[in-house]
Amino acid sequence: MKTNKIMDEIRSTISPEMKLQMELSVAIANRIYDILEAKGMSQKEFAGLMGKTETEVSRWLSGTHNLTLATICKISAALGQDVIKVVDSSYEPAYELESMVAAEP
């Protein structure tokens, strides 16, 4: 994840849930940026493709905007690539919930 010192300081003072949300937002923004770069597409071109302003796209790519699932799907469809992927539901976790609960004090 692309970070800076100020954001690292802020992350150290927030709840684990908020930290995860911030990390995912930045990761999604980075993924969109990487797709645009690979396609040789500018933010202006992307904004036009999405029917959005360059300012709104800039907010998306800052990693601080809370994108909805609907918007992420629209972005994926417009770019022709997945922005996020969900692990297949047949995935077997490396832990068992019952053993984790039993281990709690």
XYZ file of all heavy atoms in Angstrom:
806
model
N 0.840 -1.174 0.000
C 0.000 0.000 0.000
C 0.885 1.237 0.000
O 1.875 1.300 0.703
C -0.893 -0.019 1.245
C -1.677 1.234 1.421
S -2.822 1.332 2.805
C -2.369 0.093 3.916
N 0.511 2.227 -0.790
C 1.232 3.483 -0.843
C 0.791 4.330 0.350
O -0.394 4.572 0.535
C 0.950 4.199 -2.158
C 1.376 3.391 -3.366
C 0.884 3.982 -4.650
C 1.190 3.034 -5.799
N 0.459 3.361 -6.993
N 1.738 4.749 1.181
C 1.396 5.503 2.382
C 2.322 6.696 2.534
O 3.287 6.849 1.805
C 1.528 4.627 3.645
O 2.893 4.244 3.805
C 0.645 3.396 3.572
N 2.011 7.510 3.539
C 2.914 8.589 3.902
C 2.976 8.682 5.416
O 2.178 8.075 6.133
C 2.494 9.915 3.251
C 1.155 10.418 3.740
O 0.892 10.437 4.929
N 0.305 10.833 2.817
N 3.914 9.455 5.936
C 4.173 9.518 7.369
C 2.958 10.006 8.158
O 2.628 9.453 9.206
C 5.377 10.418 7.639
C 5.817 10.438 9.077
C 7.060 11.271 9.274
C 7.450 11.277 10.735
N 8.673 12.037 10.966
N 2.280 11.025 7.662
C 1.114 11.560 8.372
C 0.021 10.499 8.477
O -0.556 10.304 9.552
C 0.583 12.828 7.676
C 1.619 13.945 7.781
C -0.751 13.263 8.279
C 1.310 15.169 6.951
N -0.256 9.811 7.375
C -1.286 8.768 7.413
C -0.882 7.625 8.334
O -1.723 7.066 9.038
C -1.570 8.241 6.005
C -2.287 9.229 5.110
S -3.854 9.806 5.764
C -4.846 8.335 5.593
N 0.398 7.288 8.380
C 0.867 6.244 9.286
C 0.627 6.652 10.737
O 0.230 5.828 11.568
C 2.348 5.939 9.058
C 2.601 5.214 7.747
O 1.644 4.610 7.211
O 3.743 5.257 7.267
N 0.848 7.922 11.073
C 0.613 8.418 12.431
C -0.871 8.354 12.774
O -1.245 7.958 13.879
C 1.135 9.843 12.578
C 2.647 9.935 12.587
C 3.167 11.373 12.604
O 2.386 12.290 12.922
O 4.360 11.554 12.307
N -1.720 8.730 11.847
C -3.164 8.685 12.075
C -3.607 7.245 12.292
O -4.383 6.955 13.207
C -3.929 9.322 10.894
C -3.663 10.832 10.869
C -5.418 9.023 10.986
C -4.165 11.519 9.610
N -3.101 6.329 11.464
C -3.478 4.913 11.581
C -3.149 4.343 12.961
O -3.850 3.464 13.447
C -2.781 4.078 10.508
C -3.426 4.148 9.167
C -2.762 3.155 8.200
N -3.131 3.482 6.856
C -2.429 4.277 6.054
N -1.301 4.800 6.441
N -2.856 4.538 4.846
N -2.098 4.832 13.588
C -1.691 4.280 14.878
C -2.649 4.662 16.004
O -2.584 4.083 17.084
C -0.266 4.727 15.223
O -0.239 6.115 15.518
N -3.556 5.614 15.770
C -4.466 6.075 16.819
C -5.918 5.663 16.602
O -6.777 6.059 17.383
C -4.414 7.613 16.928
O -4.913 8.185 15.716
C -3.010 8.106 17.219
N -6.215 4.872 15.587
C -7.605 4.543 15.282
C -7.930 3.087 15.588
O -7.039 2.253 15.765
C -7.945 4.868 13.807
C -7.062 4.066 12.866
C -7.835 6.348 13.537
C -7.422 4.217 11.407
N -9.214 2.783 15.618
C -9.676 1.426 15.926
C -9.255 0.460 14.819
O -9.050 0.876 13.676
C -11.203 1.409 16.060
O -11.804 1.611 14.791
N -9.175 -0.815 15.153
C -8.823 -1.811 14.134
C -9.798 -1.814 12.953
O -9.383 -1.989 11.810
C -8.876 -3.142 14.886
C -8.671 -2.775 16.314
C -9.283 -1.410 16.477
N -11.086 -1.606 13.218
C -12.075 -1.596 12.139
C -11.850 -0.422 11.193
O -11.898 -0.568 9.975
C -13.500 -1.530 12.710
C -13.894 -2.749 13.504
C -13.443 -2.695 14.967
O -12.957 -1.637 15.432
O -13.568 -3.723 15.644
N -11.598 0.753 11.770
C -11.368 1.925 10.941
C -10.047 1.796 10.185
O -9.947 2.191 9.035
C -11.360 3.198 11.800
C -11.201 4.467 10.980
S -12.472 4.703 9.726
C -13.822 5.247 10.719
N -9.051 1.199 10.825
C -7.772 0.981 10.164
C -7.945 0.064 8.950
O -7.425 0.347 7.870
C -6.761 0.374 11.131
C -5.385 0.179 10.537
C -4.411 -0.366 11.562
C -3.059 -0.564 10.941
N -2.085 -1.102 11.881
N -8.716 -0.996 9.119
C -8.973 -1.912 8.006
C -9.714 -1.204 6.881
O -9.382 -1.374 5.705
C -9.764 -3.129 8.491
C -10.097 -4.181 7.433
C -8.843 -4.717 6.772
C -10.898 -5.305 8.060
N -10.698 -0.372 7.235
C -11.441 0.369 6.210
C -10.503 1.286 5.436
O -10.574 1.356 4.208
C -12.563 1.187 6.843
C -13.374 1.951 5.816
C -14.514 2.744 6.428
O -14.958 2.470 7.535
N -14.983 3.732 5.701
N -9.615 1.973 6.140
C -8.670 2.866 5.467
C -7.741 2.080 4.549
O -7.492 2.491 3.418
C -7.848 3.643 6.497
C -8.628 4.719 7.223
S -7.655 5.528 8.516
C -6.306 6.211 7.574
N -7.235 0.951 5.038
C -6.321 0.149 4.234
C -7.004 -0.383 2.980
O -6.419 -0.372 1.894
C -5.757 -1.005 5.070
C -4.771 -0.542 6.128
C -4.355 -1.644 7.085
O -4.924 -2.762 7.034
O -3.471 -1.378 7.908
N -8.248 -0.825 3.119
C -8.978 -1.331 1.956
C -9.283 -0.213 0.965
O -9.182 -0.410 -0.247
C -10.266 -2.024 2.395
C -10.084 -3.382 3.072
C -11.423 -3.884 3.618
C -9.489 -4.401 2.126
N -9.640 0.958 1.480
C -9.921 2.093 0.594
C -8.692 2.469 -0.214
O -8.775 2.716 -1.421
C -10.401 3.295 1.409
O -11.661 3.051 1.971
N -7.535 2.498 0.438
C -6.290 2.828 -0.260
C -5.933 1.725 -1.253
O -5.532 2.005 -2.383
C -5.141 3.085 0.743
C -3.803 3.172 0.032
C -5.409 4.360 1.543
N -6.124 0.463 -0.862
C -5.816 -0.651 -1.761
C -6.705 -0.616 -3.007
O -6.230 -0.859 -4.124
C -5.973 -1.985 -1.026
N -7.982 -0.292 -2.828
C -8.895 -0.199 -3.973
C -8.480 0.951 -4.872
O -8.427 0.812 -6.097
C -10.358 -0.062 -3.498
C -10.818 -1.391 -2.881
C -11.270 0.371 -4.636
C -12.130 -1.310 -2.122
N -8.163 2.091 -4.280
C -7.718 3.250 -5.066
C -6.443 2.909 -5.838
O -6.312 3.247 -7.020
C -7.486 4.450 -4.160
N -5.509 2.235 -5.176
C -4.265 1.843 -5.842
C -4.537 0.884 -6.998
O -3.906 0.976 -8.055
C -3.290 1.202 -4.851
C -2.671 2.194 -3.912
O -2.695 3.400 -4.139
N -2.122 1.695 -2.816
N -5.482 -0.031 -6.807
C -5.824 -0.986 -7.864
C -6.400 -0.244 -9.073
O -6.028 -0.521 -10.216
C -6.824 -2.015 -7.322
C -7.400 -2.928 -8.366
C -6.404 -3.943 -8.883
N -7.100 -4.821 -9.825
C -6.572 -5.303 -10.923
N -5.306 -5.051 -11.222
N -7.261 -6.063 -11.731
N -7.299 0.699 -8.835
C -7.873 1.475 -9.937
C -6.772 2.251 -10.646
O -6.691 2.242 -11.877
C -8.978 2.429 -9.433
C -10.163 1.635 -8.879
C -9.430 3.377 -10.551
C -11.153 2.464 -8.079
N -5.909 2.882 -9.875
C -4.802 3.649 -10.458
C -3.926 2.738 -11.316
O -3.534 3.100 -12.428
C -3.981 4.311 -9.353
C -2.804 5.079 -9.879
C -2.953 6.366 -10.394
C -1.529 4.514 -9.888
C -1.874 7.071 -10.897
C -0.449 5.205 -10.390
C -0.627 6.482 -10.889
O 0.450 7.162 -11.396
N -3.609 1.541 -10.801
C -2.767 0.599 -11.547
C -3.423 0.164 -12.859
O -2.752 0.025 -13.887
C -2.431 -0.625 -10.685
C -1.481 -0.307 -9.541
O -0.840 0.774 -9.559
O -1.397 -1.136 -8.610
N -4.739 -0.070 -12.829
C -5.452 -0.453 -14.055
C -5.388 0.691 -15.061
O -5.118 0.477 -16.251
C -6.916 -0.838 -13.762
C -6.975 -2.119 -12.921
C -7.700 -1.023 -15.068
C -8.363 -2.446 -12.371
N -5.634 1.917 -14.592
C -5.575 3.075 -15.483
C -4.191 3.202 -16.108
O -4.052 3.431 -17.308
C -5.924 4.365 -14.731
C -7.357 4.488 -14.223
C -7.525 5.784 -13.429
C -8.350 4.419 -15.365
N -3.166 3.041 -15.282
C -1.787 3.148 -15.771
C -1.494 2.070 -16.814
O -0.907 2.352 -17.862
C -0.814 3.042 -14.594
C 0.604 3.397 -14.947
C 1.482 3.431 -13.706
O 1.741 2.344 -13.128
O 1.906 4.529 -13.321
N -1.918 0.849 -16.546
C -1.681 -0.257 -17.483
C -2.402 -0.025 -18.808
O -1.919 -0.434 -19.864
C -2.132 -1.578 -16.855
N -3.542 0.627 -18.763
C -4.305 0.911 -19.976
C -3.858 2.205 -20.650
O -4.366 2.547 -21.719
C -5.800 1.008 -19.638
C -6.433 -0.316 -19.264
C -7.927 -0.145 -19.015
C -8.615 -1.466 -18.892
N -8.765 -2.179 -20.152
N -2.943 2.929 -20.010
C -2.509 4.207 -20.563
C -3.621 5.245 -20.548
O -3.664 6.128 -21.402
N -4.511 5.126 -19.574
C -5.678 6.007 -19.489
C -5.435 7.086 -18.432
O -5.004 6.784 -17.321
C -6.921 5.185 -19.130
C -8.221 5.963 -19.139
S -9.658 4.925 -18.693
C -9.759 3.869 -20.129
N -5.741 8.310 -18.783
C -5.599 9.416 -17.831
C -6.822 9.471 -16.921
O -7.876 8.887 -17.216
C -5.470 10.745 -18.575
O -6.705 11.076 -19.201
N -6.684 10.208 -15.817
C -7.819 10.409 -14.924
C -8.945 11.134 -15.656
O -10.122 10.845 -15.446
C -7.394 11.209 -13.695
C -6.549 10.425 -12.735
C -6.236 11.201 -11.465
O -7.018 12.029 -11.018
N -5.080 10.937 -10.884
N -8.574 12.056 -16.546
C -9.566 12.795 -17.315
C -10.353 11.854 -18.223
O -11.587 11.931 -18.298
C -8.890 13.886 -18.143
C -9.844 14.729 -18.940
C -9.110 15.834 -19.677
C -10.100 16.729 -20.412
N -9.445 17.880 -21.020
N -9.656 10.945 -18.892
C -10.325 9.975 -19.760
C -11.225 9.046 -18.942
O -12.348 8.730 -19.348
C -9.297 9.156 -20.539
C -8.536 9.959 -21.567
C -7.326 9.220 -22.116
O -6.675 8.444 -21.371
O -7.049 9.423 -23.314
N -10.727 8.624 -17.802
C -11.497 7.750 -16.920
C -12.752 8.470 -16.428
O -13.842 7.884 -16.411
C -10.625 7.287 -15.753
C -11.332 6.427 -14.748
C -12.040 5.303 -15.128
C -11.267 6.745 -13.400
C -12.684 4.504 -14.184
C -11.898 5.951 -12.452
C -12.609 4.835 -12.838
N -12.609 9.722 -16.056
C -13.758 10.506 -15.601
C -14.810 10.580 -16.706
O -16.008 10.391 -16.452
C -13.319 11.908 -15.181
N -14.378 10.826 -17.929
C -15.307 10.870 -19.058
C -15.998 9.538 -19.267
O -17.210 9.479 -19.514
N -15.242 8.447 -19.168
C -15.791 7.106 -19.322
C -16.861 6.825 -18.265
O -17.884 6.193 -18.555
C -14.659 6.075 -19.208
C -15.005 4.603 -19.355
C -15.494 4.312 -20.774
C -13.789 3.751 -19.031
N -16.631 7.327 -17.062
C -17.551 7.087 -15.952
C -18.677 8.115 -15.879
O -19.606 7.954 -15.094
C -16.779 7.096 -14.621
C -15.778 5.966 -14.470
S -16.532 4.323 -14.470
C -17.575 4.416 -13.029
N -18.582 9.179 -16.676
C -19.582 10.238 -16.591
C -19.456 11.045 -15.314
O -20.448 11.535 -14.769
N -18.229 11.169 -14.823
C -17.944 11.881 -13.574
C -16.996 13.028 -13.851
O -16.353 13.091 -14.898
C -17.302 10.935 -12.537
C -18.142 9.731 -12.189
C -19.402 10.135 -11.455
C -20.231 8.920 -11.054
N -21.458 9.292 -10.391
N -16.842 13.900 -12.861
C -15.887 14.992 -12.998
C -14.500 14.494 -12.631
O -14.353 13.503 -11.906
C -16.245 16.173 -12.069
O -16.119 15.739 -10.700
C -17.655 16.684 -12.327
N -13.497 15.197 -13.116
C -12.119 14.849 -12.742
C -11.919 14.982 -11.243
O -11.166 14.203 -10.648
C -11.131 15.753 -13.475
C -11.026 15.462 -14.950
C -10.036 16.388 -15.634
O -8.829 16.270 -15.333
O -10.482 17.222 -16.442
N -12.605 15.931 -10.624
C -12.495 16.131 -9.174
C -12.980 14.902 -8.418
O -12.346 14.455 -7.466
C -13.302 17.374 -8.740
O -12.804 18.503 -9.443
C -13.208 17.611 -7.251
N -14.116 14.343 -8.856
C -14.639 13.158 -8.186
C -13.702 11.967 -8.361
O -13.423 11.236 -7.407
C -16.035 12.803 -8.693
C -16.659 11.671 -7.910
C -18.144 11.514 -8.121
O -18.724 12.218 -8.967
O -18.734 10.670 -7.427
N -13.186 11.780 -9.553
C -12.238 10.688 -9.792
C -10.977 10.893 -8.955
O -10.435 9.946 -8.388
C -11.909 10.567 -11.297
C -10.708 9.676 -11.527
C -13.120 10.026 -12.049
N -10.527 12.115 -8.822
C -9.368 12.410 -7.987
C -9.624 11.998 -6.541
O -8.743 11.430 -5.884
C -9.033 13.900 -8.072
O -7.929 14.194 -7.256
N -10.830 12.252 -6.044
C -11.183 11.827 -4.671
C -11.157 10.311 -4.566
O -10.679 9.749 -3.571
C -12.562 12.359 -4.279
C -12.556 13.789 -3.800
C -13.883 14.151 -3.154
N -14.986 13.969 -4.084
C -15.668 14.945 -4.653
N -15.383 16.189 -4.367
N -16.649 14.684 -5.488
N -11.688 9.620 -5.601
C -11.663 8.162 -5.590
C -10.237 7.649 -5.472
O -9.957 6.717 -4.727
C -12.269 7.592 -6.860
C -13.729 7.778 -7.055
C -14.635 8.304 -6.161
C -14.475 7.444 -8.216
N -15.882 8.319 -6.712
C -15.829 7.786 -7.977
C -14.136 6.890 -9.437
C -16.825 7.579 -8.911
C -15.134 6.685 -10.371
C -16.473 7.030 -10.115
N -9.343 8.246 -6.243
C -7.966 7.760 -6.308
C -7.122 8.218 -5.130
O -5.988 7.769 -4.977
C -7.329 8.174 -7.635
C -8.002 7.567 -8.873
C -7.351 8.089 -10.143
C -7.985 6.055 -8.833
N -7.654 9.077 -4.286
C -6.919 9.509 -3.093
C -6.941 8.431 -2.015
O -6.123 8.439 -1.104
C -7.518 10.800 -2.533
O -8.769 10.533 -1.894
N -7.912 7.515 -2.113
C -8.021 6.453 -1.112
C -8.776 6.889 0.127
O -8.862 6.140 1.094
N -9.334 8.090 0.119
C -10.071 8.576 1.280
C -11.576 8.585 1.048
O -12.339 8.865 1.960
C -9.624 10.004 1.661
O -9.848 10.878 0.547
C -8.157 10.032 2.050
N -12.000 8.271 -0.158
C -13.427 8.256 -0.490
C -13.984 6.865 -0.230
O -13.366 5.861 -0.583
C -13.612 8.643 -1.962
C -15.044 8.780 -2.359
N -15.783 9.880 -2.031
C -15.864 7.948 -3.041
C -17.020 9.728 -2.516
N -17.079 8.562 -3.128
N -15.144 6.794 0.392
C -15.775 5.514 0.688
C -16.628 5.091 -0.507
O -17.796 5.438 -0.603
C -16.623 5.633 1.955
C -17.130 4.299 2.455
O -16.699 3.243 1.989
N -18.059 4.339 3.384
N -16.028 4.354 -1.425
C -16.737 3.900 -2.620
C -17.787 2.857 -2.252
O -17.530 1.964 -1.442
C -15.756 3.283 -3.615
C -14.743 4.226 -4.243
C -13.683 3.436 -4.991
C -15.430 5.208 -5.174
N -18.958 2.953 -2.873
C -19.981 1.937 -2.659
C -19.654 0.717 -3.514
O -18.898 0.798 -4.489
C -21.382 2.456 -3.057
O -21.397 2.700 -4.472
C -21.745 3.716 -2.286
N -20.256 -0.391 -3.162
C -20.081 -1.602 -3.957
C -20.605 -1.379 -5.367
O -19.997 -1.829 -6.349
C -20.793 -2.778 -3.293
C -20.616 -4.133 -3.929
C -19.138 -4.497 -4.061
C -21.344 -5.197 -3.131
N -21.711 -0.649 -5.491
C -22.272 -0.354 -6.814
C -21.273 0.429 -7.665
O -21.100 0.140 -8.855
C -23.576 0.435 -6.674
N -20.603 1.408 -7.073
C -19.618 2.197 -7.811
C -18.419 1.347 -8.205
O -17.918 1.437 -9.326
C -19.169 3.426 -6.995
O -20.310 4.240 -6.724
C -18.120 4.242 -7.733
N -17.969 0.486 -7.297
C -16.842 -0.404 -7.606
C -17.208 -1.317 -8.777
O -16.395 -1.546 -9.679
C -16.421 -1.211 -6.364
C -15.819 -0.271 -5.308
C -15.424 -2.309 -6.732
C -15.608 -0.905 -3.953
N -18.450 -1.806 -8.807
C -18.903 -2.656 -9.922
C -18.934 -1.865 -11.227
O -18.531 -2.378 -12.281
C -20.275 -3.246 -9.612
S -20.234 -4.491 -8.302
N -19.399 -0.623 -11.177
C -19.423 0.216 -12.375
C -18.012 0.477 -12.887
O -17.760 0.451 -14.096
C -20.127 1.541 -12.084
C -21.617 1.406 -11.920
C -22.256 2.744 -11.552
C -23.731 2.563 -11.239
N -24.342 3.825 -10.785
N -17.091 0.716 -11.971
C -15.698 0.955 -12.354
C -15.122 -0.301 -13.009
O -14.481 -0.234 -14.058
C -14.855 1.385 -11.136
C -15.300 2.768 -10.643
C -13.361 1.378 -11.468
C -14.732 3.152 -9.290
N -15.353 -1.454 -12.392
C -14.851 -2.723 -12.944
C -15.401 -2.960 -14.344
O -14.655 -3.351 -15.249
C -15.240 -3.894 -12.031
O -14.572 -3.813 -10.796
N -16.694 -2.727 -14.530
C -17.314 -2.934 -15.842
C -16.740 -1.959 -16.870
O -16.434 -2.349 -17.999
C -18.829 -2.775 -15.737
N -16.568 -0.701 -16.476
C -16.057 0.311 -17.409
C -14.618 0.016 -17.816
O -14.239 0.212 -18.968
C -16.149 1.698 -16.780
N -13.812 -0.482 -16.875
C -12.404 -0.754 -17.160
C -12.173 -2.159 -17.707
O -11.086 -2.469 -18.184
C -11.558 -0.529 -15.902
C -11.516 0.904 -15.381
C -10.709 0.981 -14.084
C -10.940 1.848 -16.427
N -13.187 -3.009 -17.596
C -13.055 -4.377 -18.105
C -12.136 -5.237 -17.265
O -11.609 -6.240 -17.762
N -11.945 -4.874 -16.005
C -11.101 -5.651 -15.088
C -11.681 -5.572 -13.688
O -12.265 -4.556 -13.306
C -9.677 -5.098 -15.060
C -8.912 -5.315 -16.329
C -7.434 -4.975 -16.145
O -6.863 -5.121 -15.071
N -6.808 -4.512 -17.215
N -11.492 -6.648 -12.920
C -11.933 -6.640 -11.531
C -11.119 -5.637 -10.727
O -9.891 -5.609 -10.815
C -11.755 -8.020 -10.889
C -12.728 -9.059 -11.427
O -13.807 -8.664 -11.914
O -12.401 -10.253 -11.346
N -11.816 -4.827 -9.945
C -11.152 -3.927 -9.017
C -10.901 -4.669 -7.706
O -9.848 -4.542 -7.097
C -11.981 -2.646 -8.780
C -11.396 -1.796 -7.668
C -12.074 -1.839 -10.071
N -11.889 -5.466 -7.295
C -11.739 -6.314 -6.109
C -12.198 -7.718 -6.459
O -12.949 -7.917 -7.411
C -12.540 -5.789 -4.889
C -14.041 -5.725 -5.197
C -12.014 -4.447 -4.439
C -14.898 -5.384 -3.991
N -11.754 -8.681 -5.672
C -12.191 -10.063 -5.828
C -12.558 -10.603 -4.459
O -11.906 -10.291 -3.467
C -11.076 -10.940 -6.405
C -10.872 -10.782 -7.875
C -9.919 -11.833 -8.391
C -9.772 -11.686 -9.887
N -8.946 -12.728 -10.449
N -13.591 -11.425 -4.438
C -13.997 -12.094 -3.212
C -13.538 -13.533 -3.318
O -13.681 -14.158 -4.370
C -15.525 -12.020 -3.031
C -15.971 -12.805 -1.811
C -15.977 -10.565 -2.936
N -12.994 -14.041 -2.251
C -12.522 -15.418 -2.241
C -13.714 -16.340 -2.417
O -14.784 -16.123 -1.840
C -11.786 -15.723 -0.913
C -11.369 -17.181 -0.850
C -10.587 -14.813 -0.757
N -13.555 -17.365 -3.217
C -14.603 -18.340 -3.483
C -15.200 -18.862 -2.174
O -14.480 -19.110 -1.216
C -14.006 -19.501 -4.289
C -15.048 -20.473 -4.774
O -15.725 -21.091 -3.921
O -15.183 -20.614 -5.998
N -16.509 -19.049 -2.150
C -17.192 -19.486 -0.931
C -16.781 -20.893 -0.503
O -17.024 -21.296 0.628
C -18.709 -19.426 -1.114
O -19.109 -20.301 -2.145
N -16.148 -21.650 -1.372
C -15.689 -22.985 -1.001
C -14.330 -22.943 -0.320
O -13.788 -23.960 0.074
C -15.614 -23.889 -2.240
O -14.636 -23.398 -3.144
N -13.790 -21.744 -0.146
C -12.495 -21.554 0.506
C -12.545 -22.063 1.937
O -13.479 -21.783 2.675
C -12.134 -20.063 0.489
C -10.894 -19.723 1.266
C -9.633 -20.023 0.784
C -10.990 -19.092 2.505
C -8.498 -19.703 1.492
C -9.856 -18.769 3.222
C -8.615 -19.076 2.713
O -7.496 -18.759 3.423
N -11.548 -22.817 2.321
C -11.455 -23.347 3.678
C -10.508 -22.471 4.486
O -9.331 -22.330 4.132
C -10.926 -24.792 3.662
C -11.855 -25.774 2.988
C -13.144 -25.993 3.770
O -13.106 -25.929 5.018
O -14.180 -26.214 3.117
N -10.995 -21.854 5.580
C -10.115 -21.003 6.384
C -9.025 -21.819 7.070
O -9.171 -23.023 7.265
C -11.054 -20.373 7.406
C -12.230 -21.287 7.476
C -12.340 -21.941 6.118
N -7.959 -21.137 7.428
C -6.820 -21.799 8.065
C -7.038 -21.932 9.575
O -6.132 -22.288 10.299
C -5.547 -21.014 7.783
N -8.215 -21.643 10.060
C -8.519 -21.732 11.481
C -9.944 -22.258 11.642
O -10.725 -22.281 10.708
C -8.398 -20.366 12.145
C -9.330 -19.347 11.528
C -10.646 -19.230 11.959
C -8.906 -18.534 10.494
C -11.510 -18.333 11.369
C -9.770 -17.632 9.891
C -11.076 -17.537 10.341
O -11.926 -16.642 9.751
N -10.264 -22.657 12.854
C -11.626 -23.083 13.151
C -12.190 -22.147 14.199
O -11.549 -21.881 15.205
C -11.643 -24.518 13.650
C -11.266 -25.522 12.572
C -11.384 -26.962 13.058
O -12.130 -27.205 14.030
O -10.737 -27.809 12.462
N -13.382 -21.659 13.977
C -14.009 -20.705 14.868
C -14.141 -21.254 16.267
O -13.874 -20.585 17.254
C -15.375 -20.274 14.323
C -16.111 -19.195 15.109
C -15.255 -17.938 15.210
C -17.431 -18.875 14.475
N -14.542 -22.521 16.403
C -14.746 -23.110 17.720
C -13.472 -23.093 18.553
O -13.502 -22.756 19.728
C -15.251 -24.542 17.594
C -16.656 -24.618 17.063
C -17.121 -26.056 16.882
O -16.439 -26.974 17.377
O -18.160 -26.249 16.228
N -12.337 -23.386 17.954
C -11.093 -23.392 18.713
C -10.691 -21.980 19.107
O -10.086 -21.772 20.153
C -9.966 -24.076 17.928
O -9.701 -23.370 16.742
N -11.019 -20.992 18.284
C -10.702 -19.599 18.622
C -11.548 -19.131 19.789
O -11.066 -18.502 20.721
C -10.929 -18.674 17.422
C -9.908 -18.823 16.334
S -10.221 -17.712 14.967
C -10.089 -16.118 15.773
N -12.830 -19.483 19.787
C -13.724 -19.063 20.863
C -13.316 -19.742 22.163
O -13.281 -19.112 23.226
C -15.205 -19.398 20.528
C -16.113 -19.145 21.698
C -15.638 -18.586 19.306
N -12.960 -21.006 22.104
C -12.560 -21.754 23.311
C -11.270 -21.182 23.877
O -11.055 -21.250 25.091
C -12.373 -23.223 22.970
N -10.424 -20.592 23.061
C -9.143 -20.077 23.540
C -9.259 -18.725 24.215
O -8.340 -18.283 24.875
C -8.161 -19.984 22.359
N -10.409 -18.038 24.043
C -10.572 -16.728 24.670
C -10.673 -16.868 26.176
O -11.271 -17.830 26.675
C -11.808 -16.037 24.116
C -11.657 -15.617 22.677
C -12.881 -14.883 22.144
O -13.744 -14.510 22.960
O -12.956 -14.700 20.929
N -10.126 -15.923 26.945
C -10.186 -15.998 28.431
C -11.574 -15.772 28.958
O -12.419 -15.211 28.419
C -9.248 -14.890 28.899
C -8.929 -14.041 27.714
C -9.355 -14.792 26.501
